Amino acid sequence: MVERREIEIFLTVGEELHFGRSAERLHVSVAMVSKTIRKLERSVGASLFERTSRRVAFTAIGRRLFEDLRPAHQEILDAFARAVASGRGLDGVLRVGFLGTVTAEFVLRAAELLRTRHPGCEVRLRESRFTDGTAPLRDDLIDVLLIDNFAAPVPGLAPGHSAGPVLFREAPVLAVSARHPLARREAVDVSELARYEMLRPRPPSEQAERTSAPGEAAEGSVAGQAPRWAAPRGAERLFPAGRAQSPSAPGGTPGGRGAGRNTEFSSVQEMWALVGAGHGVFPVPSHASVYDARPDVAFVPVEGAPAYEWRLIWLSSADNHRIRAFSEAARDYAAAHPDPLTGAAGAN
């Protein structure tokens, strides 16, 4: 009976046509390679290689055996690899959520890297809304979510959630109307922002109706904090909440529009429209100033504020090898690209 190791040695010698190089590839001695080939030749009843002090060449029988064995051996290896991948939970579909067009590009690049490593894993993308928080995970719409630390601060993750390492960081900028007084500033200090009206995502009606027992965090919220929808991507945790006192007050929006009320929005495009119209201001990651630029909105750097930190989160109960493999691919892609949102190559 021919053993698997003997087949591997024969095929390696057939590829290298050199006993020494074959031994190096297989991490065995040259004597072991020679002994194995002689054993196979005895089993076949004929020489498989012509050997001299200068060269090794196939005999006709040896070449035919090599050509018959190599594809069959590869099929066996492929079948075993598929079985291992399936057993480890790598084959199948992974649903990845993201916020915004630019972060979708990052997720796509990480998914491409994952597929090169694990071809049996299919990644499907789903865009999340500002107001969703971690609800798509809980509702089994996605398996893993790329989110920033203000939408889901890691120390305050709701029970049952797990988080990967920080993938990349961005400085915050304040989106304001191009006609807003802040639009002419080179920067604004975080301590000033209580004077300006802050937009906030509108809570979905079904989420607003949910209640929690005393001492428990509402579903979709951060434990010990207000519900997720009450803090626009963490704006009220990042910046002091504030509203204009009157149309003429420093915090008043141009023309007094929006003064004295906390304007809400349901989508990213609605948020940009409200900002552009002067109905409020809103903190965003710095990539927005490039990828979401529009003539009616200005972006002002915020000094003294912590950075946005992007990472993957998932339900602890749903943890599997696909999620871990994707997290590893995302980490490796980010480490190899100084600007992972644009795909600029290099090393951090």
Side-chain angles (χ1 to χ4, degrees):
M1 183 69 178
V2 179
E3 298 180 0
R4 175 183 171 184
R5 188 59 168 170
E6 295 171 344
I7 294 174
E8 290 176 345
I9 290 175
F10 169 72
L11 291 175
T12 304
V13 173
E15 292 170 358
E16 296 289 346
L17 293 178
H18 192 284
F19 279 46
R21 288 196 298 270
S22 298
E24 290 178 4
R25 273 182 56 179
L26 296 167
H27 304 290
V28 298
S29 66
V30 175
M32 173 64 72
V33 173
S34 298
K35 179 180 178 181
T36 301
I37 296 301
R38 287 196 299 269
K39 178 182 177 182
L40 290 174
E41 289 176 330
R42 286 195 299 271
S43 298
V44 171
S47 296
L48 301 175
F49 297 97
E50 295 177 353
R51 301 182 285 279
T52 69
S53 59
R54 294 188 175 184
R55 63 189 293 268
V56 175
F58 276 117
T59 63
I61 294 176
R63 180 171 294 281
R64 177 62 184 272
L65 179 61
F66 178 81
E67 292 174 351
D68 287 345
L69 274 180
R70 183 161 61 171
H73 182 256
Q74 189 59 52
E75 287 183 7
I76 292 172
L77 294 179
D78 291 344
F80 187 76
R82 288 192 295 270
V84 171
S86 180
R88 293 178 177 175
L90 289 172
D91 280 0
V93 175
L94 180 69
R95 303 164 299 170
V96 182
F98 65 92
L99 290 169
T101 304
V102 179
T103 53
E105 290 294 324
F106 174 81
V107 170
L108 282 170
R109 299 294 179 268
E112 289 171 359
L113 179 57
L114 176 68
R115 281 193 293 267
T116 63
R117 297 174 174 179
H118 308 290
C121 184
E122 177 187 354
V123 177
R124 296 178 184 172
L125 273 59
R126 180 187 178 94
E127 183 173 10
S128 293
R129 300 170 299 177
F130 274 84
T131 52
D132 285 344
T134 58
L137 292 171
R138 185 186 64 250
D139 296 339
D140 195 30
L141 298 176
I142 58 175
D143 303 304
V144 62
L145 174 64
L146 178 63
I147 199 168
D148 62 71
N149 56 313
F150 300 114
V154 173
L157 272 181
H161 290 74
S162 297
V166 174
L167 298 171
F168 53 92
R169 295 176 173 84
E170 294 184 86
V173 295
L174 190 68
V176 303
S177 168
R179 297 174 289 110
H180 196 286
L182 286 176
R184 297 186 292 273
R185 298 268 296 273
E186 293 185 359
V188 59
D189 191 89
V190 65
S191 62
E192 300 178 58
L193 297 183
R195 302 161 56 191
Y196 300 97
E197 182 174 13
M198 192 73 65
L199 299 179
R200 62 190 299 160
R202 180 177 298 112
S205 57
E206 68 274 10
Q207 187 169 341
E209 292 171 359
R210 292 173 180 165
T211 58
S212 302
E216 293 182 354
E219 286 189 286
S221 68
V222 178
Q225 309 247 6
R228 183 76 33 73
W229 51 260
R233 300 190 71 189
E236 292 186 352
R237 291 191 293 271
L238 174 60
F239 307 119
R243 295 187 294 179
Q245 301 303 311
S246 69
S248 59
T253 54
R257 287 176 295 177
R261 72 170 188 267
N262 213 347
T263 307
E264 298 177 338
F265 61 89
S266 297
S267 67
V268 175
Q269 293 307 316
E270 185 178 340
M271 181 270 290
W272 291 127
L274 290 170
V275 169
H279 289 191
V281 300
F282 193 70
V284 293
S286 57
H287 76 251
S289 63
V290 176
Y291 296 97
D292 296 302
R294 45 188 289 164
D296 58 344
V297 175
F299 298 90
V300 187
V302 181
E303 296 179 344
Y308 283 85
E309 295 182 339
W310 293 87
R311 68 179 77 219
L312 296 169
I313 64 172
W314 58 90
L315 293 180
S316 302
S317 59
D319 196 356
N320 58 40
H321 288 284
R322 280 194 297 273
I323 291 175
R324 294 289 177 176
F326 181 75
S327 179
E328 182 178 345
R331 182 197 63 199
D332 292 347
Y333 178 81
H337 297 79
D339 187 352
L341 295 180
T342 63
N348 278 341

